[in-house]
Amino acid sequence: MSNDLRTIFTGRAVVCGGRTGNGEIPTLMRSSCAFLVSLGLLLLAGCGGGDSSKSSEIHVSLTPSSAVTIAVTMTQQFTASVSGSTDTSVTWSLSSTGCTGTDCGAISASGLYTAPAVPPTAPVTVKATSNANSNKSATVNMQVVNVKVTMAPKTALVGITGTQQFSATASPSTASQTFKWAVSCKTAPCGSIDDTGLYVAPDAVKSPSVTITATSTIDATGSDTASVNLLDSFDLRLKGTYAFRFSGYDSVGPVLIVGNFVADGHRRITAGTEDVSRSGGTQSFSITSGSYSVDSSGRGVLNLTTSEPTTSQYKFAIDANNDGLFIEFDGSDVHGSGTLESVNPALFVNGTITGPYVFEMLGADANAQRTGYVGSMIADGAGNITGGSLDINEGGVASALDSAVGTYNLTATGRGTMSVAWNGLTFQFVFYPAGDETFILSTDAVLVNPRVAGDMFAQDPTPAYAIGDFNASGVFYLSGVDSGTGQLSDVSAGIVFPDGSGNATGNIDQNNAGAITNNASFSSTYAATGAGRYTITLSDVPYVMYAITKNTGLLLDQASASVQFGKLEPQRNAPYLANTIQGTFTQSNFQLAGSATPFAVTAQSLNAGTGVVAGEQDETDGGENENQSITGSYTVSSSGRGTLLTTEPSDTSSVLYVINNSKFVTLETSSGNQNSTVLVSGR
């Protein structure tokens, strides 16, 4: 307000102070004074010195702004932002209905919160109050929890002087988290374990069972255990009944095999059966004899002799769950890879085949066109198929069938037969139960139906499989052939983020016959069509997906002759740290890609503390390459996407996607590699 205006107002106020002779202010003067006083107050409100900000315009916000979960004794930095005032300082405070004072933790003048050693019974509210106006503040809730530790593997078979790498993850995760490792058993020696979780078995077995414990160094209440069964011979790691599935190529086309065998634990194969599909059709043989050996790394050699008579040799690697991966390694024109699964023969009855199942199968038709199946069927436990659907991509031509009916029979040998008609079109199969899954092979004449083989999984009947049941981030990995020659590989892997409402985003890495797509982002849509069947678009390619359980499914491309075929699995324990994956992993190819693709089986160790990869592998790439050393390094980002670089047996660059702390996939993206493959590590 100007000095002149102040003078006028002040002067007028003096006049207003005058009175009449009887002491009263004249009526007209009273009205004028009231008007001038009101005007003066308004003018004064708009003028004068001090902070020009208005308290109603002050706003306080916090980062992070949403609820936070933190482990005991850990810290969380908060940042307060104040707008609408030149004074941007705040006062921090804590409150809770579940604690008082230091039992709620502490917060510094800079907003650094330190959690207490014991979790409060209710969330702690962090509050930042504006010093310019104490009525303006922002709050965030903190949930303080004990550390939960999860170990992998949970059980392991280890021979004397052998090793087993264990890993541990903590939730909530933090970069400063380490673990204290311990070994115990009933009678020493128990073996030893180092601070990375590498267990070394003793040179004699006094106690057949050993317990491994990992304890959080942040919270002593957080721990987990795993058990080791000690064996006095490495060969005992392969003992009992095993079902197997093999997919590969000979000089004519795909070679598909399913079967089972019995290993006695002393290097002998005593019985078995296999069904083999080649270009000439499908034949069934008994396995009359065989031999095997296992070394300290869990790798070995397996020989199977059939009634054909033919002897095939395979290289394999056994994991901590006593299951294995293998490749053919005998100098024949067949090269490919497969899976070994231990199985309980008590399951070889019709009554164990019950409920809804989903399946994936891959192979070729009579014209050597790549063909994929995904579908579902419902078994009643008494030998009948009472429903289901089937989606097919045959050389780029997609079709869908439903209304499945059929029959099946499982014999005491572990070999079963099945006949199923979808929409009146009949398909014949042979199958072998294999623990958590079932290996299945078509047995129709090739001129009737394509030759395919794959896996069948019991579907979780609990979810409704509505659109909202697909709502968690997942890693997808796919194998196909190039659209040009049909002989080279087209493989990809990535992460998809469905929102539970039909929309998704994601990123993808792809190697299409040497053409590399690097971490490309995409947006897509998806829909639920009932009974666990979904349609989804991934990077502009439409797929059908059959769910095994929520957020886990089998994928088949519906648009191209590449016939992209794969799987989607939900991520666990995100966000990720480098130590999310560490330990010893077996690794091999996922399904068939191009016919020139090399096949390898690997036992490798990942050291998360230094990002180092080391191990050994056997590989067929037109010739046999055994006992190759693997050396390299890897990284993992918080999203689960990382890199894997090797210097032995050759210089390669791969992208890596973490599924959980015991499973990840890699995809080679080296420039010019036209025969890349998806490699699956762990389970």
Side-chain angles (χ1 to χ4, degrees), residues 467-524:
I467 197 166
D469 291 315
F470 186 30
N471 58 6
S473 68
V475 171
F476 60 90
Y477 46 101
L478 303 157
S479 293
V481 295
D482 73 295
S483 57
T485 67
Q487 304 299 312
L488 304 176
S489 67
D490 181 1
V491 292
S492 56
I495 304 177
V496 63
F497 303 92
D499 66 358
S501 300
N503 301 294
T505 57
N507 62 277
I508 187 171
D509 289 87
Q510 184 175 15
N511 186 336
N512 183 2
I516 309 300
T517 298
N518 183 45
N519 200 25
S521 61
F522 64 85
S523 298
S524 66

Side-chain angles (χ1 to χ4, degrees), residues 430-587:
V430 61
F431 66 92
Y432 291 81
D436 294 335
E437 57 194 297
T438 296
F439 300 141
I440 186 168
L441 171 76
S442 64
T443 57
D444 288 316
V446 68
L447 294 178
V448 175
N449 286 314
R451 300 185 301 112
V452 292
D455 304 320
M456 187 165 70
F457 302 88
Q459 185 186 57
D460 181 357
T462 305
Y465 296 112
I467 197 166
D469 291 315
F470 186 30
N471 58 6
S473 68
V475 171
F476 60 90
Y477 46 101
L478 303 157
S479 293
V481 295
D482 73 295
S483 57
T485 67
Q487 304 299 312
L488 304 176
S489 67
D490 181 1
V491 292
S492 56
I495 304 177
V496 63
F497 303 92
D499 66 358
S501 300
N503 301 294
T505 57
N507 62 277
I508 187 171
D509 289 87
Q510 184 175 15
N511 186 336
N512 183 2
I516 309 300
T517 298
N518 183 45
N519 200 25
S521 61
F522 64 85
S523 298
S524 66
T525 59
Y526 64 93
T529 64
R533 184 183 184 275
Y534 292 83
T535 57
I536 182 170
T537 300
L538 299 173
S539 189
D540 298 325
V541 179
Y543 289 84
V544 63
M545 182 180 81
Y546 281 81
I548 301 171
T549 187
K550 284 182 62 173
N551 300 304
T552 304
L554 309 173
L555 293 162
L556 178 64
D557 135 36
Q558 293 291 281
S560 72
S562 177
V563 190
Q564 294 287 333
F565 178 93
K567 197 169 184 179
L568 171 72
E569 299 189 57
Q571 293 183 301
R572 309 288 188 192
N573 310 117
Y576 295 104
L577 303 171
N579 64 5
T580 300
I581 51 168
Q582 61 178 311
T584 301
F585 294 83
T586 57
Q587 180 187 72

Side-chain angles (χ1 to χ4, degrees), residues 209-338:
S209 180
V210 172
T211 299
I212 309 295
T213 304
T215 303
S216 166
T217 54
I218 290 173
D219 179 9
T221 68
S223 65
D224 194 18
T225 61
S227 61
V228 173
N229 294 317
L230 291 177
L231 307 173
D232 58 13
S233 168
F234 295 119
D235 295 325
L236 287 169
R237 294 196 62 181
L238 194 70
K239 182 179 180 180
T241 301
Y242 284 81
F244 64 90
R245 175 183 60 77
F246 176 89
S247 299
Y249 292 94
D250 61 13
S251 57
V252 179
V255 176
L256 309 170
I257 307 174
V258 294
N260 63 18
F261 63 80
V262 179
D264 70 354
H266 301 287
R267 302 193 171 192
R268 292 186 297 270
I269 303 299
T270 60
T273 305
E274 70 174 25
D275 289 83
V276 182
S277 176
R278 296 199 187 208
S279 56
T282 303
Q283 294 178 284
S284 182
F285 304 103
S286 60
I287 297 174
T288 56
S289 62
S291 62
Y292 68 94
S293 63
V294 186
D295 65 19
S296 60
S297 71
R299 294 165 56 245
V301 179
L302 170 67
N303 296 287
L304 296 178
T305 300
T306 70
S307 57
E308 190 173 8
T310 298
T311 298
S312 299
Q313 183 176 97
Y314 305 96
K315 291 278 192 171
F316 66 86
I318 295 290
D319 65 19
N321 298 305
N322 206 27
D323 299 320
L325 304 170
F326 66 97
I327 60 172
E328 187 146 358
F329 207 84
D330 52 19
S332 69
D333 67 341
V334 177
H335 71 294
S337 63

Side-chain angles (χ1 to χ4, degrees), residues 72-402:
V72 292
T73 75
M74 289 291 95
T75 60
Q76 172 67 51
Q77 181 66 59
F78 287 92
T79 303
S81 299
V82 179
S83 61
S85 173
T86 56
D87 182 358
T88 59
S89 63
V90 297
T91 297
W92 296 92
S93 61
L94 302 175
S95 63
S96 175
T97 60
C99 60
T100 58
T102 57
D103 289 341
C104 294
I107 192 162
S108 71
S110 64
L112 181 65
Y113 174 76
T114 302
V118 177
T121 57
V124 175
T125 299
V126 176
K127 184 176 183 179
T129 302
S130 168
N131 288 332
N133 181 357
S134 61
N135 292 321
K136 302 296 182 178
S137 63
T139 61
V140 172
N141 283 338
M142 295 282 295
Q143 184 71 55
V144 182
V145 298
N146 286 118
V147 173
K148 181 181 179 181
V149 176
T150 303
M151 284 182 61
K154 292 295 290 181
T155 61
L157 292 171
V158 183
I160 53 174
T161 72
T163 62
Q164 174 62 51
Q165 179 72 57
F166 289 92
S167 67
T169 55
S171 179
S173 60
T174 175
S176 60
Q177 175 69 71
T178 57
F179 302 93
K180 180 181 178 181
W181 296 89
V183 177
S184 61
C185 65
K186 186 174 182 180
T187 304
C190 305
S192 62
I193 194 164
D194 67 14
D195 57 7
T196 71
L198 179 63
Y199 172 72
V200 180
D203 59 5
V205 179
K206 297 294 182 66
S207 291
S209 180
V210 172
T211 299
I212 309 295
T213 304
T215 303
S216 166
T217 54
I218 290 173
D219 179 9
T221 68
S223 65
D224 194 18
T225 61
S227 61
V228 173
N229 294 317
L230 291 177
L231 307 173
D232 58 13
S233 168
F234 295 119
D235 295 325
L236 287 169
R237 294 196 62 181
L238 194 70
K239 182 179 180 180
T241 301
Y242 284 81
F244 64 90
R245 175 183 60 77
F246 176 89
S247 299
Y249 292 94
D250 61 13
S251 57
V252 179
V255 176
L256 309 170
I257 307 174
V258 294
N260 63 18
F261 63 80
V262 179
D264 70 354
H266 301 287
R267 302 193 171 192
R268 292 186 297 270
I269 303 299
T270 60
T273 305
E274 70 174 25
D275 289 83
V276 182
S277 176
R278 296 199 187 208
S279 56
T282 303
Q283 294 178 284
S284 182
F285 304 103
S286 60
I287 297 174
T288 56
S289 62
S291 62
Y292 68 94
S293 63
V294 186
D295 65 19
S296 60
S297 71
R299 294 165 56 245
V301 179
L302 170 67
N303 296 287
L304 296 178
T305 300
T306 70
S307 57
E308 190 173 8
T310 298
T311 298
S312 299
Q313 183 176 97
Y314 305 96
K315 291 278 192 171
F316 66 86
I318 295 290
D319 65 19
N321 298 305
N322 206 27
D323 299 320
L325 304 170
F326 66 97
I327 60 172
E328 187 146 358
F329 207 84
D330 52 19
S332 69
D333 67 341
V334 177
H335 71 294
S337 63
T339 302
L340 296 170
E341 298 278 352
S342 58
V343 59
N344 182 355
L347 300 177
F348 297 160
V349 293
N350 275 349
T352 63
I353 310 298
T354 182
Y357 286 82
V358 294
F359 56 82
E360 57 177 359
M361 289 181 264
L362 186 65
D365 64 12
N367 297 315
Q369 295 182 113
R370 182 177 169 89
T371 301
Y373 292 177
V374 291
S376 65
M377 61 180 72
I378 301 172
D380 68 356
N384 301 296
I385 302 298
T386 59
S389 58
L390 172 65
D391 284 86
I392 301 172
N393 183 341
E394 185 173 351
V397 179
S399 58
L401 307 172
D402 56 20

